Amino acid sequence: MLHCSIIQAYSTFLRIVVQFILLTHSRELLRASNTGQLVLQVLGDRARVIEWHRKQPDMALLAAIEAGRVGLVFPTDDDSLNVNVDSAKHVNAPAKDCAPHLEYLLLLDATWQEARKMYNQSPYLKSLVKVGLQPTHASIYPLRRNQLEGGLCTAECVALLLEKAGEAGLAQQLTECLKGFIER
């Protein structure tokens, strides 16, 4: 089980993260309501899309996973694989000892229902360190039905990750872009 101040650990490992990977369901690529496009627009080279294929996973992604360079932003009940933003309050180890050394954070860019299927049908995702988000506010994204309570859209997740990494300006820029996207 991971025991350290999540604020310290999270900042430590996110400074190492250079890219966000949006593992995107093929249907999501066609949706006008997809917020992953906003992440690409705001982050530029720090974000990329990989289209998810159940039977033919991306080889470069598999290599990065095998090298231990990828963490998955996804809820989990397994605390042994989980780093929760805004959770652990006590320091029982130095942050450098418990912060994962990741270069990429991977988000499943899909509806919640599709994301669960993607996760369940992709064995290579199950062993990844999970980064669980615990937002302090409800989602502002109203463009989808049947959403998970407490769930955020892709752009909101990335904005929260950026904020926690000390990149408040970039997080605000992404949030403003999302607000404009919602209003159109």
Side-chain angles (χ1 to χ4, degrees):
M1 185 170 200
L2 199 61
H3 297 286
C4 64
S5 167
I6 199 61
I7 303 299
Q8 292 172 338
Y10 192 69
S11 295
T12 299
F13 94 78
L14 258 190
R15 271 186 247 125
I16 298 169
V17 174
V18 293
Q19 286 198 25
F20 291 89
I21 298 171
L22 306 180
L23 187 59
T24 305
H25 195 283
S26 58
R27 286 187 218 130
E28 193 68 18
L29 293 170
L30 305 173
R31 290 187 177 112
S33 59
N34 174 267
T35 65
Q37 63 185 314
L38 304 175
V39 173
L40 296 175
Q41 179 184 328
V42 172
L43 295 184
D45 291 343
R46 288 187 58 193
R48 65 182 170 139
V49 169
I50 296 175
E51 186 175 351
W52 176 76
H53 297 282
R54 184 173 64 88
K55 293 185 178 181
Q56 296 177 332
D58 184 86
M59 296 309 288
L61 175 60
L62 292 179
I65 289 171
E66 182 67 29
R69 298 172 14 213
V70 181
L72 177 64
V73 179
F74 196 76
T76 181
D77 294 329
D78 183 355
D79 286 338
S80 66
L81 297 174
N82 207 14
V83 176
N84 279 311
V85 175
D86 290 337
S87 62
K89 302 294 182 200
H90 303 291
V91 178
N92 293 325
K96 66 178 178 55
D97 293 341
C98 61
H101 300 286
L102 305 172
E103 294 178 38
Y104 305 96
L105 285 180
L106 186 142
L107 293 92
L108 299 180
D109 188 22
T111 67
W112 277 105
Q113 296 81 4
E114 289 168 343
R116 278 190 212 99
K117 288 178 186 174
M118 291 167 66
Y119 179 78
N120 289 330
Q121 294 176 2
S122 304
Y124 57 92
L125 297 176
K126 294 187 179 189
S127 64
L128 292 175
V129 170
K130 308 300 182 298
V131 177
L133 300 177
Q134 296 180 342
T136 57
H137 59 81
S139 175
I140 64 168
Y141 186 69
L143 302 179
R144 299 261 173 97
R145 296 184 312 245
N146 303 322
Q147 292 307 298
L148 184 69
E149 186 177 334
L152 301 175
C153 71
T154 300
E156 289 172 311
C157 289
V158 173
L160 181 58
L161 292 163
L162 290 168
E163 184 181 316
K164 295 300 178 184
E167 297 190 56
L170 208 48
Q172 184 62 36
Q173 183 181 349
L174 183 54
T175 300
E176 292 303 318
C177 216
L178 177 62
K179 288 177 182 176
F181 181 75
I182 291 168
E183 292 170 4
R184 65 174 170 107

